[in-house]
Amino acid sequence: VNPITHYKQYPPNVSKIYSYFECRCKKGSPFNEVVFFGLQYLLKKYLTGAVVTEEKIQQAKVFYQMHFRQTVFDEDGWRKILEKYDGRLPIRIKAVPEGRVVPRGNVLFTVENTDPEFFWLTNYVETMLVQMWYPITVATVSREFKKILAKHLRASSGSIEGLDTRLHDFGYRGVSSQESAALGGAAHLVNFCSTDTVAGLLMAQRYYSCPMAGFSIPAAEHSTIISWGRSREKEAFEQMLEQFPTSPVSVVSDSYDIFKACKHIWGDKLKDRVMERSEDSCLVIRPDSGDPTETLLQVIQILEECFGSSVNSMGYKLLPSYLRIIQGDGIDLGSIEQKLRDEGWSSENVFFGCGSALLQKINRDTLNCAFKCSYVENNGQGMDVYKLPMTDPSKGSKKGQLTLSRNSDGLLETLEKGVGKPEEDLLVKVFENGSLLQDYSLEEIRRKAQLTEEDEVAPPRHNGEHKGSGGGLHILNGQH
Amino acid sequence: SACMGPASPLCAFVPQVTHYKQYPPNTSKVYSYFECRETRTEPTKNRKVKYDKTVFYGLQYILHKYLKGKVVTPEKIQEAKEVYREHFQDDVFNEKGWNYILEKYDGHLPIEIKAVPEGSVIPRGNVLFTVESTDPECYWLTNWVETILVQIWYPITVATNSREQKKILAKFLLETSGNLTGLELKLHDFGYRGVSSQETAGIGASAHLVNFKGTDTVAGIGVIKKYYGTKDPVPGFSVPAAEHSTITAWGKDHEKDAFEHIIKQFPNVPVSIVSDSYDIYNACEKIWGEDLRSLIVSRSADAPLVVRPDSGDPLDTVLKVLEILGKKFPPTENSLGYRVLPPYIRVIQGDGVDINTLQEIVEGLKEQKWSIENISFGSGGALLQKLTRDLLNCSFKCSYVVTNGLGVNVFKDPVADPNKRSKKGRLSLHRTQSGHFVTLEEGKGDLEEYGVDLLHTVFQNGKIVKTYTFDDVRDNAKLKDTEKEELLK
């Protein structure tokens, strides 16, 4: 719904509109807690400073006249912002510090107008701020993947060393725009530091003070293999080893026949060259078709036959350190990790790449993100407001002014109706009257979002029924 | 870092950075193409909607915004070099290659892109555009621009999915009313808050407007005006609409006051009022149906009240709302025997609408003898966000290279997945005598047996050489008479 006409719809004499954002609870959802991330980007890019100009007012006026086929644009209202505040927005935003992990159903940020004349502004910035669903959801999903990987890595190798390079962002070509790539890419980097989405690195640099948030290795793609011609796949592979002698190198090997490539080319014709490599310059073989789990298991078996394996301190098999695998095609992370272990293989052998499942196959309903009005002031009188549709009570919203605090059990909870104590409120003022008041760095965000011991050991507490060994994370197969 | 932002092609997909070292030595040309692959084998999931054809749209935006003109400067090259050195912990960036482009072409990209006209509706499995390097030194450039070009999957998928919904609406509107009046306003874009970024909002919304004219995602109009242009002042429209906050801000016991105030604010245009904040059925029966009835019946057919439910099972809720409104505002029967509410009152369903539920709802309405004239739809996440590159199997693949002066047709053909096989050689798109589309591979289009190549050069060495207006796009994408006939079978 377009907010342009809303200034006419509120009660007369309304002087304050206070709204909040949450990821509503939903029964049966596999996600119980969310990572708060991305607000700083939106604030810096779109809301800070003098965002209202005469030129924009004129453009909007003309445009909305045609779009609505009548005059509905509140020209006077916007001009008053220009005159009174030099175009800076008289609103106040309080938010959970970025990187914080918060259980579903809690307030994450609040927005209110600071000048009674501009009550309509709260709702106006809503549409943009609701897009917070995206970086929050990417960061959350990425962290849930991290939990799965941590669990299996620790169980099969004894430690979680190298955890933050185990899930590589391949999502650039599958997102809907450059801006989404940047924002989604940065959100993944809250939890990991391997990425092919350069835009995310630049976003982290520009908006979160991180000079280099992620790393990668030289990688082949189908075009660089098939351009040698069908009969010269070996030469194409060899070129990769020669061109990149001192760093790990990833080589997609399924252009024609992944199994033959592993057995006859890597495992035979180029075997010596592969064995020359060290752990720091390992060959990472990439399958990219067929059933992900089956293919992975077959590939690892073929490689074992050709190169042998050793057993680590936890009793799991390891390929030689110069050889690893990266599986980047349509994976169900939990089930593939489990199968690997069932077959006696350590998680150290396999890296994962994640594309659209990380950056695109999600939506605002994944975490039920919602922005709702909870408190208004009319004639100076405060009133708690809410919606509660009898057709779907899960869509009900919170009432009144909200705070986020720790209860006596140490758990985070949201207090409604203004009963919370300001000094216990974990929400921090981040924006007021056009100025940014906090500047979080990716480094502190990463610290806050780190996995705790609890995350690895205890399975996530579910709101609803427990769904099987994978923990219910079917997002990678598009079901959610 | 300002100069390297996402708008620069230097900001690539990381694998491309090192590809210049991976091609066969003495490669002087790399030629790639884009298609929405067919799935030739049985899909594991039985999709209800087939998406046999796709709408080609969005290339012009990418060309204008990211590829045309001078895209590299010495500063950008320097910065890219530093970023990639840190990222790879190694010097792998092709500084020499980019400097060559800077010096010889003043930073313009020596590539040629040929494409099907925008708005064209083409069956799956056909080439839609091709990209090739035009300078032997810049063979690696084709692949470099791939990532940015492959993002065309998004506008193509939004436009295609939107058009399939248009067909569903057209069928049922025709069957229940006898004509297609108002079709273009039957599916309204509610997707702004559900997309992943502002930029996505603009692209996606514009793609929906290829087929429809109702939108609340204003950014789409900006994209159309800036990158395509229309003869009309604006390509999309909206109506004043309430939101929960503008109702709940009045307090729980004042829903009627809220409704009354809003409906009076907008006497001469349609006004949409969300009515489920507390109890949709009570709102319809008591408030709209009794308390405020007189305000509604005095409205004209050009300015109806549009009642908006927003929760509960979509079909059940819509049917129940129509029944209740029907009791309070008795419908008439149209020439085909379907019930139509009086012209001053309508319904819009904007919750949980995707291509599947849309089909269910219109079927359900028809079955209960309600005309589709009574209702319009809004769609948000499903229209603009709940889509992926896999829906239409959008894919960019290399099909031809020149190495040591010899052209070689190349392709991938993974043993475990024949669906992922790619096309070979130089490609062209033709129409057969019977009007079907066919893609010719391996340069066979040169033989001229199939007539003219439908791919036109749109971009050459940094310049956009052919453009389409949004009116062209809409014209190419409109429902054909043959399609309308098919719908009624």
Side-chain angles (χ1 to χ4, degrees), chain A residues 1-2 5-6 8-12 17 46 63-64 66-70 72 123 126-128 130-131 133-134 169-183 195-199 201-202 205-206 212 214-224 226-230 239-240 243-244 246-247 254-259 288-290 329 356 360-365 372-373 376 378 383 385-392 395 477 479, chain B residues 1-2 4-6 11-16 18-19 21-25 45 66 79 83-84 86-90 92 143 146-148 150-151 153-154 185 190 192-201 203 215-216 218 221 225 233-234 236-246 248-252 261-262 265-266 269 276-281 308 310-312 317 351 385-390 398 401 403 410-417 420:
Chain A
V1 168
N2 197 312
T5 65
H6 290 167
K8 289 193 177 198
Q9 300 180 23
Y10 286 110
I17 304 268
Y46 296 113
F63 171 78
Y64 284 115
M66 296 188 290
H67 185 61
F68 283 95
R69 294 188 264 215
Q70 56 160 358
V72 287
N123 183 245
E126 172 190 331
T127 334
M128 161 166 310
V130 137
Q131 281 179 6
W133 77 263
Y134 181 63
D169 171 1
F170 278 178
Y172 206 172
R173 64 191 65 189
V175 293
S176 47
S177 69
Q178 292 289 304
E179 188 180 9
S180 294
L183 196 44
T195 183
D196 282 346
T197 304
V198 176
L201 298 173
L202 300 177
Q205 195 182 72
R206 207 204 299 199
M212 180 47 61
F215 305 96
S216 192
I217 60 175
E221 247 191 15
H222 289 105
S223 74
T224 59
I226 68 179
S227 55
W228 292 73
R230 184 159 196 160
Q239 176 87 344
M240 288 302 293
Q243 289 292 323
F244 307 105
T246 56
S247 74
D254 79 319
S255 301
Y256 313 108
D257 188 329
I258 175 74
F259 309 116
D288 194 46
S289 50
D329 182 49
S356 63
Q360 181 64 25
K361 242 183 204 161
I362 49 174
N363 56 74
R364 191 163 70 95
D365 296 330
K372 290 288 172 281
C373 177
V376 301
N378 275 315
M383 179 169 63
V385 298
Y386 60 97
K387 64 180 266 199
L388 186 56
M390 49 80 83
T391 25
D392 189 354
K395 278 188 158 193
N477 290 332
Q479 322 278 341
Chain B
S1 58
M4 210 183 145
C11 178
F13 187 47
V14 162
Q16 265 98 2
T18 65
H19 285 171
K21 292 193 176 200
Q22 302 179 22
Y23 286 105
K45 269 187 305 198
Y66 296 114
E79 191 184 347
V83 168
Y84 290 123
E86 280 309 304
H87 185 65
F88 284 101
Q89 297 284 294
D90 200 0
V92 288
N143 184 247
E146 172 188 331
T147 327
I148 221 160
V150 113
Q151 279 181 2
W153 78 264
Y154 179 65
L185 294 174
F190 276 2
Y192 203 178
R193 61 194 62 191
V195 291
S196 46
S197 67
Q198 294 290 307
E199 186 182 7
T200 295
I203 300 170
T215 185
D216 278 346
V218 167
I221 298 181
K225 278 168 152 304
V234 281
F237 304 98
S238 193
V239 299
E243 218 189 45
H244 289 103
S245 74
T246 61
T248 63
W250 292 73
K252 178 165 202 225
H261 176 82
I262 297 171
Q265 285 292 315
F266 305 103
V269 284
D276 78 322
S277 301
Y278 313 108
D279 182 342
I280 175 75
Y281 305 123
R308 180 161 79 90
D310 195 48
S311 49
T317 309
D351 177 54
Q385 179 63 26
K386 282 181 190 171
L387 305 162
T388 66
R389 190 163 69 94
D390 295 330
C398 177
V401 297
T403 305
V410 298
F411 59 98
K412 66 182 266 198
D413 190 5
V415 69
D417 194 352
K420 281 190 161 193

Side-chain angles (χ1 to χ4, degrees), chain A residues 25 40 54 68 71 105 118-119 223 249 284 295 311 439 444 446-447:
Chain A
C25 281
Q40 190 159 293
E54 184 59 45
F68 283 95
T71 307
F118 304 106
F119 60 88
S223 74
V249 63
V284 186
T295 307
V311 174
D439 201 338
E444 18 176 343
R446 279 173 156 166
R447 267 203 304 272

Side-chain angles (χ1 to χ4, degrees), chain A residues 28-289:
Chain A
S29 167
F31 304 107
N32 291 312
E33 54 186 15
V34 305
V35 179
F36 188 70
F37 175 73
L39 183 59
Q40 190 159 293
Y41 164 72
L42 291 177
L43 295 177
K44 283 184 178 179
K45 181 144 189 188
Y46 296 113
L47 298 180
T48 307
V51 296
V52 184
T53 63
E54 184 59 45
E55 196 190 332
K56 284 186 185 173
I57 292 176
Q58 286 310 319
Q59 279 172 1
K61 180 179 167 184
V62 167
F63 171 78
Y64 284 115
Q65 179 77 33
M66 296 188 290
H67 185 61
F68 283 95
R69 294 188 264 215
Q70 56 160 358
T71 307
V72 287
F73 178 64
D74 181 17
E75 186 181 355
D76 287 338
W78 286 101
R79 190 160 292 110
K80 282 199 188 110
I81 293 183
L82 192 56
E83 286 156 8
K84 204 165 172 185
Y85 294 101
D86 268 334
R88 301 167 77 87
L89 299 176
I91 54 172
R92 176 183 306 124
I93 300 177
K94 297 178 73 168
V96 136
E98 297 215 18
R100 197 84 198 233
V101 181
V102 183
R104 294 275 290 273
N106 277 298
V107 59
L108 295 175
F109 65 90
T110 63
V111 182
E112 61 190 302
N113 55 300
T114 55
D115 181 326
E117 225 183 321
F118 304 106
F119 60 88
W120 47 269
L121 202 49
T122 306
N123 183 245
Y124 195 83
V125 301
E126 172 190 331
T127 334
M128 161 166 310
L129 292 178
V130 137
Q131 281 179 6
M132 274 297 290
W133 77 263
Y134 181 63
I136 288 175
T137 306
V138 175
T140 299
V141 169
S142 162
R143 190 171 184 275
E144 291 297 316
F145 288 161
K146 195 173 184 181
K147 287 182 191 172
I148 295 174
L149 292 166
K151 170 179 151 189
H152 290 280
L153 190 58
R154 197 186 280 286
S156 63
S157 79
S159 88
I160 52 169
E161 200 187 306
L163 174 63
D164 59 4
T165 59
R166 299 226 87 88
L167 185 64
H168 202 94
D169 171 1
F170 278 178
Y172 206 172
R173 64 191 65 189
V175 293
S176 47
S177 69
Q178 292 289 304
E179 188 180 9
S180 294
L183 196 44
H188 174 67
L189 291 170
V190 168
N191 306 295
F192 292 90
C193 64
S194 45
T195 183
D196 282 346
T197 304
V198 176
L201 298 173
L202 300 177
M203 157 99 37
Q205 195 182 72
R206 207 204 299 199
Y207 295 94
Y208 289 94
S209 323
C210 185
M212 180 47 61
F215 305 96
S216 192
I217 60 175
E221 247 191 15
H222 289 105
S223 74
T224 59
I225 303 297
I226 68 179
S227 55
W228 292 73
R230 184 159 196 160
S231 57
R232 297 176 74 212
E233 196 181 16
K234 165 183 162 286
E235 281 77 4
F237 285 2
E238 202 163 12
Q239 176 87 344
M240 288 302 293
L241 297 179
E242 266 173 30
Q243 289 292 323
F244 307 105
T246 56
S247 74
V249 63
S250 155
V251 186
V252 66
S253 303
D254 79 319
S255 301
Y256 313 108
D257 188 329
I258 175 74
F259 309 116
K260 288 194 176 141
C262 289
K263 191 158 182 183
H264 301 302
I265 309 182
W266 294 124
D268 182 14
K269 298 195 181 125
L270 294 176
K271 184 172 172 183
D272 291 338
R273 309 236 22 205
V274 174
M275 291 177 68
E276 270 167 18
R277 303 189 66 101
S278 71
E279 189 178 338
D280 294 328
S281 62
C282 62
L283 165 67
V284 186
I285 291 178
R286 179 161 79 91
D288 194 46
S289 50

